[in-house]
């Protein structure tokens, strides 16, 4: 692991790091905020997965989560959204290729050699964070938009790795949305059974979730038709999963929305992670 930068923030440290990932076959950049409480021992860890076109930097600089993490004593990990580099496949469209990994393991050419974001998050980067930083084996996960999709699906697939789960405006039913069908077809091929295994609204019915879930969605979100929060709400009701879904009047899809409700999510995770 190489340190790119470190800065003092709210008496803790906001760092940016890079490492060579065997999983993605390229160098990856990520950010970690360590709160001041980490000076005295390991702290719980919250993962924040970002949305389409983002890198590690968007939430790190726009979401304002460091102040809340310092208040509650949580580390926050901000991964990148896709593999990067000259040898990594890409597409001219903003919603496919670099910046649009969808937190799944691609099986189709030309994506399969590098686009292994599911394994990267839950295996490669998790092991690195666990070994290199003062964090407990007590992890929660959240995310925004495509990252909300990733948070939901990864938590449901790996409940042994994540003790708490929330999302901001997640892509909730990607197999039935243009934010999903296009990418799933490219990355996974025509087998829609593979799509279903990466769709939170469908996966919840198959795998369930052992705890409760917090979802915030802007009622004024310009992408509501693509996000399909009603599908996730129906699945939560059908499976009788304890959940809080809040339609926030007037809020759109931007980081103004995320930052407004960031304290609520950090506090919610802190309670469940024992911070």
């Amino acid at each position: 692991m190489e340190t790119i930068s470190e800065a003092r923030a709210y008496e803790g440290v906001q760092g940016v790091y890079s490492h060579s990932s065997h999983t993605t076959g390229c160098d990856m950049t990520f950010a970690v905020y360590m709160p001041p409480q980490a000076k005295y021992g390991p702290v719980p860890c919250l993962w924040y997965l970002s949305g389409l076109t983002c890198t590690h930097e968007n939430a790190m600089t726009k979401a304002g989560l460091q102040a809340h993490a310092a208040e509650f004593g949580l580390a926050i990990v901000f991964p990148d959204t896709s593999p990067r580099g000259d040898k990594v496949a890409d597409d001219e469209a903003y919603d496919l290729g670099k910046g649009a990994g969808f937190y799944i393991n691609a099986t189709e050419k030309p994506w399969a050699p590098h686009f292994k974001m599911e394994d990267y998050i839950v295996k490669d980067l998790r092991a690195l964070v666990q070994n290199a930083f003062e964090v407990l084996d007590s992890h929660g996960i959240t995310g925004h938009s495509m990252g909300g999709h990733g948070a939901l699906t990864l938590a449901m697939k790996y409940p042994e790795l994540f003790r708490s789960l929330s999302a901001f405006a997640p892509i909730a039913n990607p197999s039935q949305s243009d934010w999903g069908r296009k990418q799933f077809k490219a990355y996974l091929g025509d087998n829609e059974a593979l799509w279903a295994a990466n769709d939170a609204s469908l996966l919840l019915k198959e795998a369930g979730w052992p705890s409760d879930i917090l979802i915030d969605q802007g009622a004024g979100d310009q992408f509501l038709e693509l996000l399909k929060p009603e599908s996730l709400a129906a699945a939560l009701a059908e499976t009788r999963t304890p959940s809080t879904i809040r339609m926030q009047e007037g809020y759109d899809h931007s980081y103004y929305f995320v930052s407004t409700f960031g304290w609520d999510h950090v506090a919610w995770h802190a309670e469940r992670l024992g911070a």
Side-chain angles (χ1 to χ4, degrees), residues 75-185:
I76 303 185
V77 180
F78 303 95
D80 202 347
T81 56
S82 77
R84 309 277 177 177
D86 294 340
K87 297 181 180 180
V88 175
D90 200 9
D91 190 90
E92 292 182 357
Y94 77 95
D95 57 355
L96 187 67
K98 294 177 185 177
F102 264 75
Y103 304 101
I104 63 177
N105 290 333
T107 59
E108 300 296 304
K109 295 179 180 180
W111 314 104
H114 300 286
F115 280 74
K116 303 290 187 183
M117 289 303 294
E118 176 180 328
D119 283 352
Y120 173 70
I121 297 294
V122 302
K123 296 178 181 179
D124 198 351
L125 186 56
R126 181 186 172 93
L128 188 156
V129 167
Q130 199 72 41
N131 290 329
F133 297 89
E134 285 292 310
V135 298
L136 296 167
D137 189 14
S138 180
H139 295 246
I141 191 167
T142 189
H144 174 230
S145 193
M146 180 185 72
H149 142 77
L152 292 167
T153 56
L154 294 183
M156 292 174 196
K157 288 184 178 185
Y158 304 94
E160 72 279 8
L161 299 183
F162 300 104
R163 292 173 50 185
S164 57
L165 171 60
S166 75
F168 300 85
I171 303 175
N173 192 193
S175 67
Q176 300 302 315
S177 168
D178 287 343
W179 274 358
R181 293 188 64 84
K182 171 184 177 179
Q183 295 81 4
F184 286 179
K185 184 176 178 62

Side-chain angles (χ1 to χ4, degrees), residues 190-264:
D190 294 325
N191 184 354
E192 295 199 14
L194 295 178
W195 300 10
N198 295 283
D199 183 313
S201 295
L202 302 178
L203 185 59
L204 182 63
K205 299 175 186 179
E206 293 295 323
W209 170 248
S211 186
D212 52 354
I213 302 175
L214 172 63
I215 306 288
D216 271 308
Q217 171 64 62
D221 194 315
Q222 61 272 43
F223 302 115
L224 275 174
E225 291 301 316
L226 293 167
L227 301 172
K228 300 189 179 298
E230 66 280 0
S231 298
L232 181 59
L236 289 165
E238 181 179 332
T239 57
R240 299 181 179 178
T241 303
S243 55
T244 301
I245 304 178
R246 307 188 300 188
M247 294 294 292
Q248 302 290 2
E249 182 178 0
Y251 283 90
D252 62 13
H253 200 67
S254 71
Y255 267 96
Y256 296 113
F257 157 69
V258 174
S259 62
T260 297
F261 300 103
W263 185 93
D264 294 0

